[in-house]
Amino acid sequence: FSASNDAVTLNRVALQSTPSTSSSTPWSDLTTVYLKLGSTTVGSTSFTNTATTTTVNVTGVVIPKDGNVVLGIYADVAGIDVTTSSEEGSVVAIDYDGNAQSGSTYGTGDSGSTVTSVSVDTAVDGLRVFKSYPTLAKLSIPSNSLVTGTGVDLYRFSVSANLANPATGNGVGLDKFVVNVATSTASAAAGTTTVTNLKVYAYTESGFSNTVPGFSNGLVVANIVGLVAGDNVATTSSVVQIPAGATYYFRVVGDVTFTGGTSPSGSVTTKILGDSTYPSLATKMGTVIGISTSNFIWSPIATTSALATTDNDWTNGFGVSGLPSDGMTGTVISK
């Protein structure tokens, strides 16, 4: 907010919900909306009775003459369970309502006159609501040297199951990710590098010693035979459920063959791919089959503690922290 010619004490601010077509209503997804100046709450409100607009009575905000202040919009999200109203997959977007009915946003100038806002609406992208969500992080591998061998570490990453209150959720489920493998161009001088037999193992700790329960030796993705290069669909043999507040650690391994040329050199670059858009669904969430073309398929495990691929409780990697749409940062092994 900016003030010209006079300092203005802000009295009231108009807000509106501007959801996307995949969103639900703000009054069901949110409980309380706050305006904050820094870390200080200067007003609060709620969206009620199917309304998409509301106003906030503001205290303690003075816009200096020919200066400005920045206010932040915060909100409490309703719970996602059988007794509360928020819907997973909803988009919550709250904007400043600049073209609201005249006088909806106003302040009092030093002269005592009422000053009304003259502005356009803001247009935020919004946030998508889930009971829990994953965070991915790239990890280092033991060696970045390209050698011929079986079960060579090509990529390591972690997936954490985040919840505001781990006691109220079941964690995160994983069904599929896509591993992109790129090998250097073969030539008589550089030689030839190939990768076959891709596998993925999962562990409960960062030392990669204790394997996740329910899988033989932690093998969550069985052998993908005949891998050369490109995108490789790694579907788990059964759903991997990461407990609330926990982190699982993953190893992508493959059999590497390197045939040297007259001036031997080669490389393998590996990464995990993300998704550029939210899945197109009739409802906010889908089954695994319903979003099967996605690169990363996960679930907030909101409908049942024993997650199945047929549950209408799955989504993709769009917007997942640590997983850009073009993929995580690649790991390179080279000679």
Side-chain angles (χ1 to χ4, degrees):
F1 289 86
S2 300
S4 300
N5 304 318
D6 202 1
V8 175
T9 299
L10 193 60
N11 302 123
R12 193 170 70 183
V13 173
L15 301 177
Q16 66 182 0
S17 174
T18 53
S20 72
T21 55
S22 62
S23 123
S24 73
T25 51
W27 55 88
S28 65
D29 290 314
L30 304 177
T31 54
T32 307
V33 178
Y34 307 90
L35 279 185
K36 291 190 178 185
L37 178 62
S39 60
T40 302
T41 298
V42 296
S44 63
T45 187
S46 60
F47 290 91
T48 58
N49 300 324
T50 70
T52 57
T53 60
T54 188
T55 57
V56 185
N57 292 323
V58 178
T59 58
V61 177
V62 177
I63 309 167
K65 175 185 176 181
D66 299 324
N68 61 77
V69 296
V70 176
L71 299 184
I73 301 174
Y74 296 75
D76 292 335
V77 179
I80 299 175
D81 53 44
V82 295
T83 61
T84 51
S85 58
S86 189
E87 295 182 71
E88 57 176 350
S90 295
V91 172
V92 176
I94 304 174
D95 278 294
Y96 170 68
D97 191 0
N99 59 7
Q101 182 179 355
S102 177
S104 292
T105 298
Y106 71 91
T108 304
D110 279 351
S111 61
S113 60
T114 297
V115 181
T116 58
S117 171
V118 179
S119 178
V120 297
D121 295 348
T122 59
V124 300
D125 291 329
L127 301 174
R128 198 174 294 273
V129 176
F130 298 105
K131 190 174 183 68
S132 61
Y133 64 94
T135 297
L136 277 68
K138 176 191 173 184
L139 305 173
S140 60
I141 60 175
S143 173
N144 292 95
S145 296
L146 176 64
V147 294
T148 293
T150 60
V152 175
D153 278 78
L154 302 176
Y155 202 81
R156 289 187 175 188
F157 65 102
S158 65
V159 182
S160 300
N162 300 277
L163 289 87
N165 182 1
T168 64
N170 300 308
V172 165
L174 301 180
D175 175 78
K176 166 191 168 182
F177 37 86
V178 172
V179 182
N180 177 269
V181 178
T183 57
S184 55
T185 303
S187 70
T192 302
T193 303
T194 58
V195 180
T196 57
N197 300 323
L198 195 73
K199 300 176 183 178
V200 182
Y201 295 88
Y203 304 81
T204 59
E205 42 72 49
S206 59
F208 292 88
S209 297
N210 299 324
T211 58
V212 298
F215 297 88
S216 178
N217 297 318
L219 183 65
V220 296
V221 176
N223 195 19
I224 300 176
V225 181
L227 170 73
V228 177
D231 295 343
N232 303 275
V233 176
T235 301
T236 60
S237 55
S238 63
V239 175
V240 178
Q241 291 196 207
I242 305 174
T247 299
Y248 279 3
Y249 301 84
F250 296 83
R251 293 174 59 224
V252 180
V253 305
D255 297 346
V256 178
T257 301
F258 176 64
T259 304
T262 56
S263 300
S265 65
S267 66
V268 178
T269 302
T270 308
K271 64 180 180 179
I272 307 300
L273 297 184
D275 292 289
S276 59
T277 59
Y278 197 73
S280 178
L281 298 166
T283 56
K284 298 178 181 68
M285 305 291 288
T287 64
V288 165
I289 291 177
I291 57 172
S292 60
T293 58
S294 298
N295 289 327
F296 186 83
I297 298 179
W298 69 279
S299 170
I301 317 181
T303 63
T304 177
S305 59
L307 183 65
T309 58
T310 53
D311 291 333
N312 197 46
D313 195 21
W314 294 90
T315 185
N316 69 6
F318 178 66
V320 168
S321 179
L323 184 61
S325 59
D326 59 350
M328 301 174 72
T329 302
T331 291
V332 181
I333 58 173
S334 61
K335 179 179 178 64

